Amino acid sequence: RCLQDVFTTLVDLKWPHTLLIFTMSFLCSWLLFGMVWWLIAFAHGDLDYSTRLQRDPGEGAAGAPAGFVPCVTSIHSFTSAFLFSIEVQVTIGFGGRMVTEECPAAILVLIVQNIVGLVINAIMLGCIFMKTSQAHRRAETLIFSKHAVIALREGKLCFMLRVGDLRKSMIISATIRMQVVKKTASLEGEVVPLNQIDIQMENPVGGNSIFLVSPLIIYHVIDKNSPLYDISPLNLHHHEDLEIIVILEGVVETTGITTQARTSYLADEILWGQRFVPIVAEEDGRYSVDYSKFGNTVKVPTPSCTARQLEEDKSIM
């Protein structure tokens, strides 16, 4: 199935494998057409010096038969045929070898080899351009906090994480979405081992769009529609079958290419009853960001119960 989409397969390969494939493509094509040129010369008798003498016993000043016209001049062995194949495909043209009008088959092979060379060059340039312009490198500067936290915000339990961009060039039309992946069972008894459930974020702008001009705290209110409604501190351990995936997508301002950054939080990477410390401060009329405290958290008073229990019994507050 990967070979049905060769271009994408080549783009997804690692650089050493891609360069090896392109090098072997050129070498194999040169050798193949070198063999074809040698066969043409052999079939026409260009390599048989005695046969050429029998055709025309008179010789020219250069030592070659005066009346004999070869298909390709100056081809005497497979080595010279291989050199001529390279000259044809890369259009070097040193001038020592050339195709004559003696053999129509040689002219046809010349056309075919030029087309094959152009196709290989086009694929190579396209793959190199796509590999060098891929936006996943831009995603390396989009950072997420190492841990996520659950704490109270506006009187409700919220799942929170911090995201930031280390570059000055902005991510345009940035959107962020979260999914909970856990094992679930339906009412009919069907077990879904990796059920993906979207969770809604709270954004004052509306929707999932964010303006990533400075590090932001993305949070999700744990209400009755949330898959985290029955999560308590007792569930946040490495044996819990729970993972929250966060996906940030946007357009790179400088290139206009869409990029995507992803991270995930397992159950033991979610801290209960903690909050991210502030890292944005105003200095001399300008805002500065202290990225050394990007993932730092501080403990805050938080009920050790589920959001369901907190909603049913307000006295827990």
Side-chain angles (χ1 to χ4, degrees):
R1 290 181 181 272
C2 293
L3 292 178
Q4 292 180 359
D5 188 5
V6 179
F7 184 78
T8 305
T9 303
L10 291 176
V11 173
D12 291 339
L13 289 176
K14 295 182 179 180
W15 273 107
H17 298 161
T18 303
L19 295 178
L20 177 63
I21 290 175
F22 284 136
T23 302
M24 294 305 299
S25 298
F26 280 116
L27 289 177
C28 291
S29 63
W30 293 341
L31 287 171
L32 174 62
F33 283 100
M35 179 62 69
V36 173
W37 289 116
W38 183 84
L39 290 175
I40 290 176
F42 177 80
H44 190 254
D46 299 352
L47 306 179
D48 192 351
Y49 188 73
S50 60
T51 303
R52 290 185 292 175
L53 287 177
Q54 293 176 2
R55 292 184 181 181
D56 193 347
E59 293 192 43
F68 181 76
V69 180
C71 292
V72 182
T73 60
S74 302
I75 287 186
H76 308 292
S77 62
F78 178 76
T79 303
S80 57
F82 177 71
L83 290 175
F84 179 71
S85 175
I86 298 176
E87 294 176 10
V88 169
Q89 191 159 327
V90 300
T91 63
I92 296 176
F94 290 115
R97 301 175 183 88
M98 55 177 289
V99 178
T100 64
E101 58 185 12
E102 180 71 14
C103 302
I107 300 176
L108 179 61
V109 172
L110 179 67
I111 296 173
V112 173
Q113 185 172 2
N114 274 281
I115 294 174
V116 171
L118 289 174
V119 170
I120 295 177
N121 287 332
I123 296 176
M124 182 185 69
L125 292 176
C127 288
I128 291 178
F129 173 76
M130 291 299 298
K131 289 180 71 67
T132 54
S133 62
Q134 283 181 332
H136 66 275
R137 295 298 180 186
R138 179 63 176 88
E140 297 293 334
T141 55
L142 297 173
I143 58 175
F144 299 89
S145 56
K146 183 178 180 180
H147 294 90
V149 299
I150 293 180
L152 288 174
R153 174 175 280 194
E154 302 294 338
K156 297 181 179 180
L157 286 176
C158 296
F159 172 85
M160 293 176 282
L161 63 101
R162 178 175 274 166
V163 59
D165 188 3
L166 297 177
R167 287 188 181 272
K168 293 182 179 180
S169 60
M170 294 180 56
I171 296 294
I172 305 172
S173 302
T175 60
I176 192 167
R177 55 192 178 94
M178 292 188 288
Q179 285 185 338
V180 174
V181 180
K182 65 178 183 178
K183 183 178 180 180
T184 60
S186 64
L187 297 176
E188 294 76 17
E190 180 185 4
V191 177
V192 182
L194 296 175
N195 190 22
Q196 301 180 15
I197 307 171
D198 288 331
I199 57 179
Q200 185 64 36
M201 298 185 316
E202 292 298 323
N203 192 346
V205 181
N208 296 334
S209 299
I210 60 175
F211 186 53
L212 200 57
V213 67
S214 64
L216 297 177
I217 295 178
I218 307 299
Y219 70 100
H220 159 69
V221 177
I222 304 177
D223 53 14
K224 61 181 179 180
N225 297 320
S226 172
L228 306 178
Y229 196 48
D230 294 316
I231 292 294
S232 68
L234 300 177
N235 302 116
L236 301 182
H237 52 80
H238 66 278
H239 295 294
E240 182 70 16
D241 188 11
L242 174 68
E243 183 176 8
I244 299 178
I245 299 175
V246 183
I247 303 173
L248 173 63
E249 293 181 338
V251 178
V252 182
E253 183 180 22
T254 54
T255 61
I257 300 175
T258 302
T259 184
Q260 185 183 93
R262 299 181 299 271
T263 190
S264 68
Y265 298 97
L266 298 176
D268 56 348
E269 295 175 333
I270 302 174
L271 306 179
W272 189 280
Q274 298 201 31
R275 183 179 297 163
F276 292 107
V277 300
I279 61 174
V280 180
E282 185 179 358
E283 298 177 359
D284 300 329
R286 292 186 176 183
Y287 290 101
S288 61
V289 180
D290 186 4
Y291 278 100
S292 63
K293 302 178 181 179
F294 183 81
N296 292 2
T297 60
V298 60
K299 289 186 177 181
V300 293
T302 306
S304 298
C305 63
T306 65
R308 181 190 297 273
Q309 295 171 343
L310 183 62
E311 185 176 352
E312 293 175 352
D313 188 4
K314 295 294 184 182
S315 62
I316 299 178
M317 294 291 293

